[in-house]
Amino acid sequence: MKDYILINGTVYDPETRRLEKRDIAVSGGVIADARTVADKPGTEVFDLREAVITPGLIDMHCHIYPMCGVMDKTRTLPTIDGEAHMFSNGVTTAVDAGTCGCRDFFDFKERFIDHSKLRILAFVNIAYGGMADLATELEPENFFPDTAAAIAREIPEVVGIKTAHYHVGRPFDERHPAWASVEAAVTAGELAAKPVMADVQPYLPGRSYEELILKKLRSGDIHTHVYAQQFPILDKKGKVQDFMWQARKRGVVFDLGHGAGSFWFRNAVPAFDQGFCPDTLSTDLYLDNINGPVFGLLNVMSKYLNIGMPLEEVLYRTTARPAEILGRKELASIKPGSTADLAVLNIREGKFGFSDSGHARMDGDKMLECSLTIRNGEIVYNPMALGMPDWKNAPQSYWKAPGVIKL
Ligand SMILES: [Zn+2]
């Protein structure tokens, strides 16, 4: 494993939530003191004077476990390849939001989580088949709080319980109480001492959004898709509803969860202008939205940069804040000794357009792009060929890059 020192960049420190000019070093897979690494023979030096260096980004909501042919039997649906789709966005920790229930969780762990260079964490679905077997999300007989909680306690990569899609295609009745999935998820969350992430369609008879965020969810629980068209976060005059502020005050967390259908500028921008920001920016990435309107976490972050959120706040909501909500503060650390997960970002300036999930466009002049991702001390994404010698000087066989390589 090589040692690296990244010099002259602007570093985002999640402890101070500030950007500052400083060097940062990686040695033996962990963050190291730049002064001690600088003199070590063989250390690679990257001059990153135009770049911002941040702890590796955390995508709080995506879908990785395969949903093979269950929702649409004509094709394989539609989750992402974690490493292929996340490292290029500077993401080193991806959180699968309930694709998998307790029935398949060991398969998820053994075939994907344990073999991925990307750190994969997950909310286990309260329905035993998860979204991979969507029909199980509709029937309370498939909710097993004890088993979900046991998995959440025993498997270190499980960060909470997910409930979603308990609404499709039929009214509530005695066998299908309106809050069955949320209540089962909260029971599991209490047993496991972990948060619940809820994707709940509001305003079906017997179930309102206010009740979800003011009564059903606990402090630390997460409502995802907060800026979707269907959530009445603004009143008829466009003012952020009082119950949103009340819910935030009682500790409910609001996740963006962009997705193909869940982020509307028409809700998000007026809310931002009134000071109501998402706790976490996340993609809800799956294959059907990866070519738009989501593209990846950097596109979601760029939307907020152009809406007017300062870069420090955009980075806070994709590093320190999700780490805190997940109870894993160490995931967003650049202290010496921390796991070396880093992303190097550049801000392009020009004319750009951004799309939401409601076929609307926002113009902007800034776009984030990733020029290097380091995961666990290893370079895993390197589109600028940093550290490599010019091909004219490269030896025919083994080569090693000397000196400072400028970005
Ligand atoms: Zn999702």
Side-chain angles (χ1 to χ4, degrees):
M1 190 172 275
K2 286 188 176 176
D3 292 348
Y4 304 97
I5 180 161
L6 317 182
I7 64 170
N8 295 326
T10 303
V11 173
Y12 174 69
D13 186 336
E15 288 216 354
T16 61
R17 294 172 61 176
R18 294 221 173 106
L19 293 160
E20 56 189 40
K21 278 273 177 199
R22 59 187 265 200
D23 300 340
I24 187 164
V26 174
S27 179
V30 299
I31 304 292
D33 187 323
R35 287 162 301 186
T36 59
V37 175
D39 298 331
K40 272 175 90 177
T43 297
E44 299 232 25
V45 182
F46 299 153
D47 188 336
L48 300 170
R49 62 190 64 228
E50 301 296 326
V52 172
I53 302 155
T54 170
L57 303 176
I58 301 171
D59 191 339
M60 266 287 273
H61 184 156
C62 67
H63 295 282
I64 294 174
Y65 185 66
M67 313 198 330
C68 299
V70 174
M71 290 168 71
D72 175 352
K73 305 234 183 262
T74 61
R75 67 190 181 101
T76 299
L77 276 172
T79 52
I80 60 165
D81 181 301
E83 291 180 25
H85 296 130
M86 287 295 177
F87 287 149
S88 57
N89 277 262
V91 175
T92 54
T93 298
V95 186
D96 184 291
T99 321
C100 191
C102 53
R103 184 186 70 192
D104 302 315
F105 208 89
F106 287 97
D107 181 56
F108 187 17
K109 179 164 171 57
E110 286 167 9
R111 288 201 298 134
F112 295 90
I113 293 172
D114 289 349
H115 298 285
S116 176
K117 284 186 182 176
L118 176 73
R119 182 189 290 104
I120 300 173
L121 305 176
F123 287 85
V124 61
N125 200 307
I126 190 63
Y128 81 106
M131 294 173 201
D133 191 352
L134 191 72
T136 68
E137 292 191 296
L138 306 179
E139 299 295 331
E141 65 194 29
N142 299 322
F143 304 158
F144 297 106
D146 289 346
T147 314
I151 284 177
R153 281 195 306 265
E154 294 300 320
I155 299 182
E157 291 86 2
V158 177
V159 291
I161 316 293
K162 178 78 185 280
T163 170
H165 308 142
Y166 178 64
H167 57 258
V168 182
R170 45 122 189 83
F172 299 119
D173 56 32
E174 265 183 32
R175 283 186 52 241
H176 303 92
W179 293 106
S181 72
V182 170
E183 287 174 354
V186 169
T187 299
E190 280 170 353
L191 290 170
K194 295 241 158 68
V196 166
M197 179 185 271
D199 166 2
V200 176
Q201 187 80 15
Y203 291 123
L204 297 173
R207 196 166 78 181
S208 74
Y209 183 52
E210 294 97 308
E211 197 175 356
L212 173 73
I213 60 175
L214 294 181
K215 295 205 172 130
K216 296 294 179 183
L217 295 183
R218 306 162 298 163
S219 175
D221 289 341
I222 304 148
H223 173 234
T224 187
H225 305 315
V226 59
Y227 301 114
Q229 177 189 15
Q230 65 266 27
F231 292 107
I233 67 167
L234 306 176
D235 67 16
K236 287 201 169 73
K237 291 181 179 163
K239 188 164 164 276
V240 174
Q241 301 265 21
D242 286 345
F243 58 73
M244 298 303 291
W245 301 108
Q246 287 169 35
R248 172 154 279 170
K249 203 168 167 193
R250 59 184 289 274
V252 170
V253 171
F254 293 96
D255 174 54
L256 189 144
H258 192 309
S262 299
F263 180 73
W264 280 54
F265 290 131
R266 283 155 276 184
N267 284 353
V269 178
F272 176 84
D273 289 342
Q274 294 168 64
F276 190 90
C277 298
D279 287 274
T280 49
L281 307 180
S282 67
T283 60
D284 191 15
L285 204 63
Y286 42 90
L287 288 189
D288 284 357
N289 63 43
I290 205 163
N291 289 322
V294 181
F295 301 101
L297 188 59
L298 290 181
N299 194 274
V300 177
M301 293 164 70
S302 298
K303 286 168 186 167
Y304 265 88
L305 262 190
N306 286 288
I307 285 171
M309 186 180 278
L311 179 60
E312 296 94 319
E313 290 299 306
V314 170
L315 293 171
Y316 171 64
R317 286 162 170 77
T318 46
T319 57
R321 184 68 178 127
E324 178 183 52
I325 292 161
L326 298 172
R328 306 278 177 104
K329 280 192 177 175
E330 71 280 6
L331 298 183
S333 174
I334 53 166
K335 276 197 216 154
S338 307
T339 300
D341 291 354
L342 295 170
V344 176
L345 308 179
N346 289 80
I347 304 176
R348 279 175 60 206
E349 298 198 347
K351 281 189 169 180
F352 304 104
F354 298 92
S355 51
D356 71 5
S357 305
H359 302 279
R361 171 193 170 98
M362 183 185 73
D363 290 326
D365 57 13
K366 295 183 262 308
M367 177 83 89
L368 285 166
E369 61 186 20
C370 179
S371 50
L372 186 73
T373 306
I374 294 175
R375 162 74 183 119
N376 205 18
E378 181 187 346
I379 291 179
V380 291
Y381 179 72
N382 187 10
M384 303 296 285
L386 290 168
M388 298 178 193
D390 187 287
W391 69 271
K392 295 188 281 299
N393 305 323
Q396 291 300 317
S397 57
Y398 178 79
W399 52 266
K400 192 169 181 195
V404 174
I405 310 298
K406 292 205 167 171
L407 182 62

mmCIF file of all heavy atoms in Angstrom, residues 61 63 97 131 162 225 284, ligand 1:
data_model
loop_
_atom_site.group_PDB
_atom_site.id
_atom_site.type_symbol
_atom_site.label_atom_id
_atom_site.label_comp_id
_atom_site.label_asym_id
_atom_site.label_seq_id
_atom_site.Cartn_x
_atom_site.Cartn_y
_atom_site.Cartn_z
ATOM 1 N N HIS A 61 -28.899 6.996 0.874
ATOM 2 C CA HIS A 61 -30.074 6.299 0.336
ATOM 3 C C HIS A 61 -29.790 5.880 -1.104
ATOM 4 O O HIS A 61 -29.743 6.708 -2.009
ATOM 5 C CB HIS A 61 -31.289 7.240 0.392
ATOM 6 C CG HIS A 61 -32.574 6.626 -0.044
ATOM 7 N ND1 HIS A 61 -33.803 7.101 0.375
ATOM 8 C CD2 HIS A 61 -32.852 5.570 -0.853
ATOM 9 C CE1 HIS A 61 -34.761 6.372 -0.172
ATOM 10 N NE2 HIS A 61 -34.206 5.445 -0.940
ATOM 11 N N HIS A 63 -29.761 1.923 -3.752
ATOM 12 C CA HIS A 63 -30.239 0.533 -3.833
ATOM 13 C C HIS A 63 -29.205 -0.328 -4.551
ATOM 14 O O HIS A 63 -28.928 -0.117 -5.734
ATOM 15 C CB HIS A 63 -31.602 0.491 -4.517
ATOM 16 C CG HIS A 63 -32.648 1.187 -3.700
ATOM 17 N ND1 HIS A 63 -33.238 0.603 -2.603
ATOM 18 C CD2 HIS A 63 -33.147 2.439 -3.763
ATOM 19 C CE1 HIS A 63 -34.082 1.453 -2.043
ATOM 20 N NE2 HIS A 63 -34.045 2.584 -2.733
ATOM 21 N N ALA A 97 -31.009 1.376 1.134
ATOM 22 C CA ALA A 97 -32.187 1.762 1.920
ATOM 23 C C ALA A 97 -33.300 0.735 1.753
ATOM 24 O O ALA A 97 -34.278 0.956 1.046
ATOM 25 C CB ALA A 97 -32.649 3.158 1.529
ATOM 26 N N MET A 131 -37.650 -4.848 -0.764
ATOM 27 C CA MET A 131 -38.093 -4.361 -2.082
ATOM 28 C C MET A 131 -37.748 -5.355 -3.175
ATOM 29 O O MET A 131 -38.298 -5.292 -4.280
ATOM 30 C CB MET A 131 -37.433 -3.022 -2.397
ATOM 31 C CG MET A 131 -37.873 -1.928 -1.475
ATOM 32 S SD MET A 131 -36.925 -0.425 -1.750
ATOM 33 C CE MET A 131 -37.223 0.379 -0.182
ATOM 34 N N LYS A 162 -35.949 -0.140 7.611
ATOM 35 C CA LYS A 162 -36.652 0.628 6.564
ATOM 36 C C LYS A 162 -38.080 0.134 6.424
ATOM 37 O O LYS A 162 -38.344 -1.072 6.499
ATOM 38 C CB LYS A 162 -35.923 0.440 5.214
ATOM 39 C CG LYS A 162 -36.583 1.145 4.014
ATOM 40 C CD LYS A 162 -36.300 2.635 3.984
ATOM 41 C CE LYS A 162 -37.055 3.358 2.867
ATOM 42 N NZ LYS A 162 -36.427 3.211 1.555
ATOM 43 N N HIS A 225 -37.348 11.210 1.036
ATOM 44 C CA HIS A 225 -38.139 11.767 -0.078
ATOM 45 C C HIS A 225 -38.892 13.042 0.331
ATOM 46 O O HIS A 225 -39.984 13.319 -0.158
ATOM 47 C CB HIS A 225 -39.171 10.762 -0.624
ATOM 48 C CG HIS A 225 -38.616 9.444 -1.045
ATOM 49 N ND1 HIS A 225 -37.478 9.318 -1.805
ATOM 50 C CD2 HIS A 225 -39.067 8.176 -0.830
ATOM 51 C CE1 HIS A 225 -37.246 8.025 -2.033
ATOM 52 N NE2 HIS A 225 -38.180 7.315 -1.450
ATOM 53 N N ASP A 284 -31.063 8.048 -3.721
ATOM 54 C CA ASP A 284 -32.025 6.977 -4.061
ATOM 55 C C ASP A 284 -31.635 6.373 -5.414
ATOM 56 O O ASP A 284 -32.487 6.128 -6.271
ATOM 57 C CB ASP A 284 -33.457 7.526 -4.081
ATOM 58 C CG ASP A 284 -34.504 6.420 -4.165
ATOM 59 O OD1 ASP A 284 -34.173 5.247 -3.922
ATOM 60 O OD2 ASP A 284 -35.659 6.745 -4.512
HETATM 61 ZN ZN ZN B 1 -35.248 4.195 -2.313
#
